[in-house]
Amino acid sequence: MTPSSWDDMAPLEGRPYVFGVYDCYTIVKDWMRKERGIVMDEMVETPDRVANLWMMDNVFFNKQESDRWRLVAKPQVGDVILFSVDRNGELGSRNVNHCGVF
C-alpha cells in the first residue's frame, strides 16, 4: 500500500516497482507532467502482452506505439530516451524495452 499523498503524484525516487503502476514508463510520464507540464498518453500496449514479451519485443516500437515517438540526432536535456536492457540489467542491442529521461 502506498501513502495517500501519492494519489496525485508519487515521488520520482523511492517508488516500489509495480508494473503498470510504478514502472519506467509511468516514471517518465510523471516526470514530464511535473517538470514540463506535458501530459503523456497511456501506453497503447496491453499490460498482459508487455509483461509476457518485455525482454523479447520492441515494446515502444511495435505497430501501435511507433507513431508516438520520433528519432532525434542529438537528444536534449528532458528528452525521453528509449533503449534496450537485457534480463541481467545490461544494455542490450536488440529490442527497445525501457525508457528514461535524458
Side-chain angles (χ1 to χ4, degrees), residues 25-33 38 40-42:
Y25 188 75
T26 58
I27 289 173
V28 167
K29 271 183 40 182
D30 287 352
W31 187 92
M32 293 298 275
R33 185 173 131 212
I38 297 170
M40 293 174 60
D41 293 331
E42 297 295 329

Side-chain angles (χ1 to χ4, degrees), residues 42-55:
E42 297 295 329
M43 283 186 66
V44 176
E45 278 288 10
T46 64
D48 289 340
R49 182 176 180 279
V50 172
N52 288 328
L53 298 175
W54 194 255
M55 293 298 176

Side-chain angles (χ1 to χ4, degrees), residues 17-82:
Y17 178 83
V18 179
F19 180 74
V21 179
Y22 301 122
D23 54 27
C24 66
Y25 188 75
T26 58
I27 289 173
V28 167
K29 271 183 40 182
D30 287 352
W31 187 92
M32 293 298 275
R33 185 173 131 212
K34 181 179 182 181
E35 299 297 323
R36 298 285 167 93
I38 297 170
V39 177
M40 293 174 60
D41 293 331
E42 297 295 329
M43 283 186 66
V44 176
E45 278 288 10
T46 64
D48 289 340
R49 182 176 180 279
V50 172
N52 288 328
L53 298 175
W54 194 255
M55 293 298 176
M56 301 173 287
D57 199 12
N58 279 319
V59 171
F60 295 104
F61 282 137
N62 67 37
K63 185 175 168 86
Q64 297 162 317
E65 294 288 345
S66 62
D67 290 339
R68 300 169 75 181
W69 305 100
R70 73 179 168 90
L71 181 64
V72 295
K74 294 182 180 179
Q76 303 296 309
V77 173
D79 284 349
V80 175
I81 56 173
L82 305 175

